[in-house]
Structures are given as C-alpha cells and as structure tokens.
Amino acid sequence: PDLLPTCNGEITTMSFLQDVVDILLQYVVKSFDRSTKVIDFHYPSELLQEYNWELADQPQTLEEILLNCRTTLKYAIKTGHPRYFNQLSTGLDMVGLAADWLTSAANTNMFTYEIAPVFVLLEYVTLRKMREMVGWPGGCGDGIFSPGGAISNMYAMLIARFKMFPEVKEKGMAAIPRLVAFTSEHSHFSVKKGAAALGIGTDSVILIRCDERGKMIPSDLERRIVEAKQKGFVPFLVSATAGTTVYGAFDPLIAIADICKKYKIWMHVDGAWGGGLLMSRKHKWKLNGIERANSVTWNPHKMMGVPLQCSALLVREEGLMQSCNQMHASYLFQQDKHYDLSYDTGDKALQCGRHVDVFKLWLMWRAKGTTGFEAQIDKCLELAEYLYNKIKNREGYEMVFDGKPQHTNVCFWYIPPSLRGMEDSEERTSRLMKVAPVIKARMMEYGTTMVSYQPLGDKVNFFRMVISNPAATHQDIDFLIDEIERLGQDL
C-alpha cells in the first residue's frame, strides 16, 4: 500500500527496491562461491509444512514480502553455481541478468513496433545475424524467438506442413493425406509432442535408427521414407538433431540434406543444444550441412548461457511464417498505421502475448562479441574433454560409448568396488541400475553438486555430465569425480 503509484510513495519504493536488489546481489555473489551449497534440499512435504505459502485476504507487510524473497532464494537451486551440471542450461551471466531486469521494467509485448519499437528492431537484427551464421546468404529468411526448443520444433512442423499443404490452415487435417515425419531414436521428445499437438499424431513420427554414438543412420532414413511412400503416406519433414540431449551427438547433416532434396522433404535441424557451436571456428564443422536446412532451432539459453528463456526458430524462406500463422486481428495489426508495417511481427507467431526474449541475447552479444561467446563455448568443450580423458581409463568408470565426445556430454557408469570383479549378469545389471540414482540422491542431500542420470535403450542408468557454465574449472571436474567416488564407495 505504501509503494508507487501511492501518493508520496517514491521514498518507500526506492528503499524497498534497494532492499530487493541487495538480496539479489547477495544471491549472485553466493552463486559463485564454491563453499556454498548448490542446493539446500528439502522434500516437498517438509517445505510445505515449514512455511506458510498460502494466499490470504489481507496484505502482508513489506518486511514479510522481503522475507518471502529471501526464503524463495534460500531453497532455489543455484543454477549459476560452478558445480551445477544437471541441465543443458547452466551459468549466470551478469550482462544477461542486467538485460532481464531491464526487460521486466520495460514490461512490453513483442507483437508490434507500436509498443516495442527497440525490441522489435533488435529481434530483426539478431535473427538475421543468427541466419548468417547458419550460412544462409545475407542472412535471408525469417524467424522468431519462442518459449523454448519444443515450441520452436513445433513451429517447424507447422510451417513444413503448411508449405506442402496450405489448405490445412482452413480445412484442417481431414482435408489432406496422412503425413509422416522422421527423426532419430535419440532425438528430443518434443518432435512427437509437436505431432500430437498439431493433430498429426505420435504414430506418424517414424524413429530412425542411430549408430553406437547416437547419430542418425542415413541409409535407414532413406529406407523408411521409401517404405512410408509405398504405404501411401506423405513424408513432409525430417528433423535432424545437432547435439542430442543425452549423447550430444550430431546427425550427419550433409547426407540427410541429400536425402531430403531427393524426396522433396522439408529438412529441419534441431540445434537447440548444439547450435551454439556455430559461434566457434574450432567446432562448427560438426554442423556442416546446416546451411541446407529449411529451418533450424537454436537455443542461446543452453550452450551460450543466455538467461532462460531464449530459443530461436530460423526459417530459410521469407514470408512463410506470416502466411502460415497470420489472422489479421484488426485491433493489433491495423493496416493504416503511420509506419512501415513489416515491423509488426506479431502476426507470424502462434502466441498473441509474447515475452521479450531478444534483449538479453543482444546485450550479451554486444558485451562479449562473437569471439567472447566462442571462448566461452571452447572452454566448456575443453572441460568436457578433460573429464573424458580423466575417467576413460580410470578404475571404477565405464564409458557408455567409445571415443571422444563431440559436445560437452560425457556419459559414463560409475562402478562401485563391490561390482568391479563381477561377471556381466542380470544381477550385476540390476545392481548397477541403482547406483546412479543413489549417488544423485546423496549429492542433493549434501547439496555439493548435481549431475543428471538416465537409462537409454538397453543401457541401465548412467551419468550424463554436461557443461555449459563458463564458471566451471578443471578443479570442479576433479571435485565431481571425487564426490561420486566418496558417495558411491559403499554401494
């Protein structure tokens, strides 16, 4: 009640916001302090009982509000902590954080130049630069920032379908033949999710076999396309993955592009995780062939460390997104405005309300330059190689696949002493399956570090270590290995 816009609320407001900033700054400094926990873990029932989170009729005091802020951060995971390796998006970038604060203060919507003049222009400039880096001549084409890679992939499906059958927009799926899409068995679940949401159906997504390193096998792709056509289905999209979620594998894009060209199928590249490597002269060869794609997903909030969310869909053909999605809402997109209407980009989005995601990426890019992002990415890849070299021949470790990882994903089993001499048997497998989950639970209870695990195909639970936080060092990798051994010795 004492804050702006209350009359004479300036002083109280300034002091309240200053207190909030102090809380945030303390949290930021703590995030990089290795002597603090990554997480102060409590079970859901404990957290619910310990504090009153309920919403009441009567307002709380500002002191209580500040306390709420402190409590929330106390139990938040420090995703910027140098020993947090749990997700593909880690780290805490200072310029990105500043940009996010500014974006929240400006609090506008991305639909028109009328209400987001600078932001709309920055989106235009940034997306064009990203398309240039993909390799499309002069950065031609179109694009949009969407709420995460799953939605970007769904946009690609939507646009590919529209390109082949424009009548689907008015008439729906009943008016067109049975469509099928193809993606690798290691691809992200969002490809199937998008097919479900768009009424194409998950059964219409055909999973292509991968080699032992997790890359799509082009000959199997071609075989399945021919098979689908013989059954009378219409192949409309191939989604290749540049940086798979678990193995960090890069599909062979040139071979896939050749097949897509031969059968006239839309080629999408899901580079949500691996797209950042385009910034690195040393590593971008892993995406050779991406310039032949019709669309690309690229999430700067992963490898590039931009604060969540920041996901771009890039489309090679200009105007296609607009004709696919526009609805001509006359209260937003009036045709008789006094400026160039091409900057009213909202009608090409699926969303109406759309958050400003571009500013943090743009400001970070200004602050670092492409070379700064390159150094950051190269460092993370070097750390992954360091980890791989350290454990590949170490007692008690087994690699999930042979050879140096292509991305920062390092997949391995920790074998406790009790299992080391055992013959490969059902009993050994069922015991090994329980090792990673127990070590992970202990990590969280101690709060020292976090790394994810999962089973895949016929492989039981293994650790998937990923590095995207430029604050991590060789010492943090050493710490992780020691910690796994400390917590798993007795299993």
Side-chain angles (χ1 to χ4, degrees):
D2 312 325
L3 301 174
L4 287 172
T6 301
C7 190
N8 301 327
E10 289 91 337
I11 292 169
T12 318
T13 298
M14 296 297 265
S15 105
F16 170 70
L17 289 178
Q18 191 59 61
D19 288 342
V20 172
V21 169
D22 290 343
I23 291 169
L24 293 173
L25 294 179
Q26 281 167 24
Y27 178 77
V28 167
V29 172
K30 252 194 203 149
S31 283
F32 296 99
D33 177 357
R34 287 175 175 79
S35 69
T36 66
K37 288 181 169 191
V38 173
I39 172 180
D40 181 355
F41 181 77
H42 288 63
Y43 288 95
S45 55
E46 296 174 333
L47 267 189
L48 280 172
Q49 281 161 14
E50 215 164 307
Y51 294 94
N52 175 20
W53 306 97
E54 295 307 316
L55 298 164
D57 292 343
Q58 296 309 313
Q60 286 195 311
T61 65
L62 289 180
E63 280 66 45
E64 289 171 307
I65 296 302
L66 289 169
L67 191 61
N68 294 157
C69 292
R70 284 197 189 88
T71 306
T72 304
L73 284 179
K74 175 170 159 56
Y75 298 108
I77 301 229
K78 295 195 192 82
T79 54
H81 197 291
R83 292 174 181 166
Y84 174 76
F85 303 110
N86 207 65
Q87 249 55 43
L88 301 184
S89 44
T90 63
L92 180 56
D93 188 274
M94 296 305 108
V95 174
L97 181 63
D100 234 351
W101 290 351
L102 185 144
T103 302
S104 290
N107 190 32
T108 192
N109 207 316
M110 281 301 282
F111 24 65
T112 58
Y113 182 81
E114 180 180 331
I115 64 162
V118 180
F119 297 133
V120 163
L121 296 180
L122 295 183
E123 185 166 75
Y124 172 79
V125 167
T126 307
L127 289 169
R128 188 182 61 203
K129 176 74 172 173
M130 292 171 84
R131 291 191 298 267
E132 258 173 44
M133 299 190 81
V134 165
W136 295 334
C140 69
D142 209 335
I144 197 163
F145 284 96
S146 85
I151 304 293
S152 293
N153 288 342
M154 188 168 85
Y155 265 118
M157 278 190 151
L158 182 72
I159 296 162
R161 178 177 69 176
F162 177 80
K163 173 76 177 167
M164 195 177 264
F165 295 104
E167 64 271 29
V168 73
K169 182 176 172 181
E170 286 80 22
K171 307 267 186 298
M173 287 297 284
I176 64 171
R178 170 83 188 270
L179 301 178
V180 283
F182 305 84
T183 190
S184 92
E185 57 189 3
H186 283 210
S187 70
H188 194 258
F189 67 86
S190 57
V191 179
K192 280 194 164 181
K193 193 169 260 206
L198 295 173
I200 294 163
T202 56
D203 288 353
S204 303
V205 177
I206 294 169
L207 299 181
I208 306 303
R209 291 218 322 274
C210 291
D211 65 17
E212 66 287 344
R213 304 243 358 204
K215 298 165 181 286
M216 189 194 290
I217 300 170
S219 58
D220 192 52
L221 171 64
E222 184 158 23
R223 183 178 71 80
R224 301 300 296 270
I225 289 172
V226 170
E227 215 174 74
K229 287 172 79 100
Q230 283 166 351
K231 289 181 181 161
F233 300 147
V234 178
F236 82 108
L237 171 127
V238 173
S239 180
T241 313
T244 59
T245 313
V246 180
Y247 282 10
F250 289 80
D251 285 345
L253 302 181
I254 294 171
I256 292 168
D258 289 342
I259 292 168
C260 288
K261 186 180 174 187
K262 179 172 169 184
Y263 295 97
K264 298 187 173 58
I265 302 173
W266 183 282
M267 176 180 170
H268 174 62
V269 175
D270 175 3
W273 173 222
L277 268 52
L278 291 169
M279 305 295 249
S280 164
R281 285 165 292 198
K282 186 176 170 187
H283 295 286
K284 68 175 179 201
W285 62 270
K286 295 166 188 176
L287 296 106
N288 282 352
I290 194 170
E291 69 286 347
R292 294 176 60 189
N294 299 92
S295 57
V296 172
T297 292
W298 174 357
N299 287 6
H301 70 221
K302 292 198 169 90
M303 200 61 212
M304 290 162 65
V306 177
L308 286 157
Q309 300 183 40
C310 188
S311 171
L313 174 78
L314 310 169
V315 182
R316 190 166 57 184
E317 185 183 327
E318 201 178 347
L320 200 54
M321 285 191 89
Q322 188 78 7
S323 41
C324 175
N325 293 326
Q326 70 185 358
M327 290 291 152
H328 304 291
S330 57
Y331 62 90
L332 276 179
F333 309 114
Q334 303 89 340
Q335 295 306 295
D336 45 9
K337 292 185 179 179
H338 63 296
Y339 58 80
D340 179 352
L341 293 177
S342 70
Y343 292 108
D344 281 5
T345 50
D347 217 5
K348 69 183 176 194
L350 277 181
Q351 298 165 266
C352 176
R354 191 160 68 88
H355 187 258
V356 176
D357 288 331
V358 67
F359 188 65
K360 48 202 167 186
L361 169 58
W362 179 84
L363 202 66
M364 281 172 67
W365 209 324
R366 297 280 284 200
K368 290 175 200 288
T370 307
T371 54
F373 275 125
E374 176 181 49
Q376 190 173 308
I377 287 163
D378 287 354
K379 181 191 169 186
C380 289
L381 279 131
E382 190 276 316
L383 284 175
E385 201 174 330
Y386 172 78
L387 170 63
Y388 167 72
N389 288 332
K390 196 164 158 139
I391 64 175
K392 65 178 176 188
N393 301 317
R394 187 181 177 99
E395 193 193 0
Y397 291 84
E398 262 176 49
M399 304 311 296
V400 174
F401 56 85
D402 289 334
K404 196 174 91 174
Q406 277 212 299
H407 206 354
T408 69
N409 308 51
V410 184
C411 298
F412 60 90
W413 287 281
Y414 171 69
I415 317 288
S418 70
L419 295 182
R420 281 176 205 172
M422 268 181 94
E423 290 293 298
D424 205 5
S425 64
E426 259 183 56
E427 194 205 338
R428 183 182 187 272
T429 304
S430 76
R431 283 178 61 184
L432 183 57
M433 185 168 75
K434 299 182 180 117
V435 172
V438 172
I439 293 176
K440 171 67 178 273
R442 291 175 178 180
M443 278 177 179
M444 289 179 71
E445 280 162 6
Y446 281 107
T448 48
T449 182
M450 281 175 74
V451 58
S452 79
Y453 70 85
Q454 69 283 300
L456 187 69
D458 58 353
K459 296 177 167 58
V460 297
N461 286 323
F462 56 87
F463 285 112
R464 176 206 65 171
M465 170 71 177
V466 280
I467 303 160
S468 59
N469 183 354
T473 62
H474 293 108
Q475 287 78 13
D476 296 312
I477 305 296
D478 297 342
F479 175 86
L480 175 83
I481 293 169
D482 292 342
E483 195 63 357
I484 286 174
E485 292 172 2
R486 177 177 84 87
L487 298 172
Q489 275 303 324
D490 62 326
L491 296 177

